[in-house]
Amino acid sequence: MAFAAINSAGMPIAAIEEAFVTEPSLKKRVYDAIGYTPQHAPLFEDLARYTSSLQARAASTSLPIVQPPTDGPAAKKRKIQNGSAGETAQAPVSLKDAPVQFYVQDISFSIPQRKKLTLEVTAGHRYLRARNQATKEVEFGISMDQIRHALCLPVPEKTQKLFNFCIIPEFADGITPPPEGTAASDAMVFTVADGPAKAAFSGSGQQIGNKPGEAAEELIRKILNENMPNTSVVRPNEREFVSTMPEAHRKGEKAYHVKAFRGSKEGYLFLLSTGIIFAFKKPLLFFSFDTIESVSYTSVLQRTFNLNILARPRNGSEEDNQEFEFSMIDQADFGSIDEYIKRHGLQDSSLAEARRAKVYNVNVPKNNDEAAAAETTGAEEESELQKAQRELEDQEDEDEEDYDPGSEGESEGSGSSSDDESEDEFHENGENVSDGDLVKEELGSETEDAGDDDDDE
């Protein structure tokens, strides 16, 4: 009877809601039967789950297709008209026709379109889709089994607390392109405000998630986790990474991002348990650990540095590697980022050979053999200025080797050179005298000359 009391309070049963979302009258009869015989509730839930599995199987199962003969479109048309196309496959439930099990109105999307739409999760073959609230047409959507990554990230630099859900299907991570001829779904980014859901409903139209203490972000995470077969929603946490600088616009709240630039495009890097994402501008870039070849730090300055990520597409070769540079990251977060890189075993190639500065063999003393080898190997590396300087130095060396002092004895400079040599010899022989002795000698010589003149007279 306890179960009947719970059900009478209006609490829906998820399995029954999903199985009979398109049959409200039958769903009501099931709930009435459970109210009369609560002991049969588990049986009705099992029947509902089985019904849902049959619906999913019918949506995904296809019969063999008989290929038409390759003799032109006219022959193909004739065969269809004659009934030979009776074995055509049963079409799966389309994105637009699948019944709804959950929806939220007035959700702000930023990728792939920037507008307010209704977010829907379908039953049976599960889709996540967006419906235009005015025209009631489905704008875009993703099959739940194609979603590879789902992230719930706090929106930085906003006074109101908001969360961005980033839904990344296969081939939409910005790293791995789709195979040739394959159409890939676009990523989705939509925003949910903190607090109770104001317009969230079950498939039957019953409002949910609006009670005190409930949060729209938690409700959507729960719905997505229940319907995505290949992944679950990932959120930032302190064990992985937290910025040393708190959230600027919400005092006392920790920041799980770092601001960075990719070219001229400003964005945010979030370092998560499954990889690194650069958001929230289009296109999103998500580096899962299995696509990261290495990381490196460049342009490390007093206040900022750059983070380079070398990524390889899934099933790609080394020739397909791409390097993504994120610049102007605050130096205060260098230690936390480096700790994250080391914790996850990502290769740091900051000191790789390709990143070393080139060394040119200019003005380096070397023997003849080394000079010959350097001349052949380093000729292409010389700039025009370096080449001209080298040729000038070689010419000066040749002029010094060919110089002969005797051949230019009649020149104007020969006398001065001889005087210099004589003076050097004079000093070397130790015949130099002090300044006082030189005065005496000069005066003495003049006195002798005067005496000689008197004698002659």
Side-chain angles (χ1 to χ4, degrees):
M1 297 306 290
F3 184 87
I6 293 174
N7 189 56
S8 63
M11 296 295 293
I13 301 174
I16 295 174
E17 290 288 330
E18 179 180 341
F20 305 111
V21 64
T22 59
E23 299 290 340
S25 59
L26 180 58
K27 179 170 61 175
K28 182 178 181 303
R29 291 170 58 191
V30 171
Y31 278 130
D32 290 342
I34 292 175
Y36 287 118
T37 57
Q39 65 273 19
H40 293 152
L43 174 61
F44 282 107
E45 287 191 61
D46 290 341
L47 290 172
R49 293 190 184 94
Y50 180 69
T51 302
S52 296
S53 67
L54 290 179
Q55 291 173 343
R57 192 179 308 167
S60 59
T61 303
S62 60
L63 298 174
I65 299 177
V66 177
Q67 297 292 338
T70 59
D71 52 354
K76 179 179 179 182
K77 184 176 181 181
R78 284 197 306 271
K79 283 188 173 292
I80 294 177
Q81 290 174 345
N82 293 333
S84 61
E87 296 181 22
T88 305
Q90 178 183 357
V93 177
S94 67
L95 171 68
K96 297 183 178 180
D97 297 333
V100 178
Q101 69 160 295
F102 169 80
Y103 65 96
V104 188
Q105 297 174 336
D106 297 326
I107 294 293
S108 296
F109 282 79
S110 55
I111 295 177
Q113 299 180 18
R114 185 174 291 275
K115 60 170 63 174
K116 278 195 174 184
L117 302 166
T118 296
L119 177 71
E120 297 181 348
V121 176
T122 67
H125 187 93
R126 296 175 176 85
Y127 291 97
L128 180 67
R129 67 191 182 191
R131 186 182 297 274
N132 190 302
Q133 298 182 151
T135 65
K136 306 302 180 185
E137 294 293 326
V138 174
E139 298 278 349
F140 50 87
I142 304 171
S143 178
M144 288 287 191
D145 57 10
Q146 292 181 355
I147 297 176
R148 293 295 176 264
H149 305 282
L151 314 173
C152 178
L153 308 173
V155 180
E157 301 181 357
K158 298 289 184 181
T159 54
Q160 181 186 3
K161 191 172 184 179
L162 304 170
F163 297 93
N164 272 351
F165 281 85
C166 302
I167 309 299
I168 304 174
E170 191 173 17
F171 308 123
D173 58 0
I175 310 300
T176 304
E180 187 176 354
T182 301
S185 300
D186 291 326
M188 280 189 193
V189 176
F190 57 88
T191 306
V192 176
D194 189 33
K198 297 180 181 179
F201 302 88
S202 66
S204 61
Q206 181 179 359
Q207 188 170 3
I208 56 177
N210 60 337
K211 296 179 180 179
E214 295 182 328
E217 174 259 336
E218 294 179 359
L219 176 63
I220 294 176
R221 274 197 295 122
K222 176 177 178 293
I223 295 295
L224 291 176
N225 287 336
E226 290 175 350
N227 289 274
M228 293 187 301
N230 300 318
T231 188
S232 59
V233 180
V234 175
R235 302 181 66 199
N237 63 76
E238 294 184 37
R239 295 189 301 274
E240 291 297 333
F241 174 82
V242 63
S243 175
T244 56
M245 296 176 290
E247 179 59 56
H249 293 70
R250 299 190 294 273
K251 291 184 178 180
E253 185 175 321
K254 295 180 178 179
Y256 298 95
H257 68 278
V258 294
K259 184 183 291 188
F261 287 83
R262 172 156 166 71
S264 60
K265 186 180 296 185
E266 181 181 5
Y268 306 98
L269 285 170
F270 289 85
L271 286 68
L272 308 170
S273 60
T274 55
I276 302 172
I277 185 171
F278 181 68
F280 296 99
K281 302 291 179 65
K282 188 177 182 179
L284 292 179
L285 290 174
F286 182 76
F287 304 91
S288 58
F289 292 136
D290 59 342
T291 62
I292 298 177
E293 285 286 294
S294 64
V295 298
S296 58
Y297 306 107
T298 58
S299 302
V300 181
L301 305 176
Q302 183 178 0
R303 296 183 181 275
T304 62
F305 68 96
N306 297 352
L307 177 67
N308 296 64
I309 301 178
L310 183 66
R312 176 181 297 187
R314 288 188 181 87
N315 302 323
S317 63
E318 187 174 351
E319 297 177 351
D320 301 322
N321 288 358
Q322 305 176 71
E323 186 170 65
F324 299 83
E325 182 179 55
F326 303 99
S327 60
M328 300 298 291
I329 302 174
D330 198 297
Q331 185 67 241
D333 287 314
F334 181 88
S336 301
I337 293 175
D338 191 53
E339 181 182 350
Y340 173 89
I341 297 299
K342 293 176 179 177
R343 186 189 315 119
H344 288 282
L346 302 179
Q347 181 182 352
D348 184 356
S349 60
S350 301
L351 300 179
E353 185 68 27
R355 297 196 179 278
R356 294 185 181 179
K358 291 183 178 180
V359 178
Y360 298 101
N361 294 323
V362 178
N363 296 333
V364 178
K366 44 188 171 289
N367 56 35
N368 294 336
D369 294 338
E370 291 175 346
E375 186 175 354
T376 57
T377 59
E380 296 180 355
E381 297 179 349
E382 285 186 329
S383 67
E384 292 298 324
L385 180 60
Q386 293 166 346
K387 183 177 181 180
Q389 181 180 0
R390 178 178 56 79
E391 291 177 352
L392 180 61
E393 291 176 352
D394 293 344
Q395 184 64 37
E396 291 177 353
D397 293 341
E398 292 177 1
D399 292 343
E400 290 178 0
E401 292 174 358
D402 296 338
Y403 174 70
D404 185 3
S407 62
E408 297 180 357
E410 301 298 329
S411 64
E412 295 179 358
S414 60
S416 60
S417 298
S418 300
D419 292 342
D420 293 340
E421 292 175 2
S422 301
E423 185 177 352
D424 292 339
E425 292 177 359
F426 176 76
H427 287 292
E428 289 175 0
N429 293 332
E431 296 178 356
N432 193 11
V433 294
S434 64
D435 293 341
D437 294 337
L438 286 173
V439 172
K440 289 181 180 180
E441 288 183 3
E442 291 296 328
L443 292 174
S445 62
E446 290 179 1
T447 304
E448 291 176 359
D449 292 339
D452 293 338
D453 293 339
D454 294 337
D455 293 339
D456 293 337
E457 292 178 357

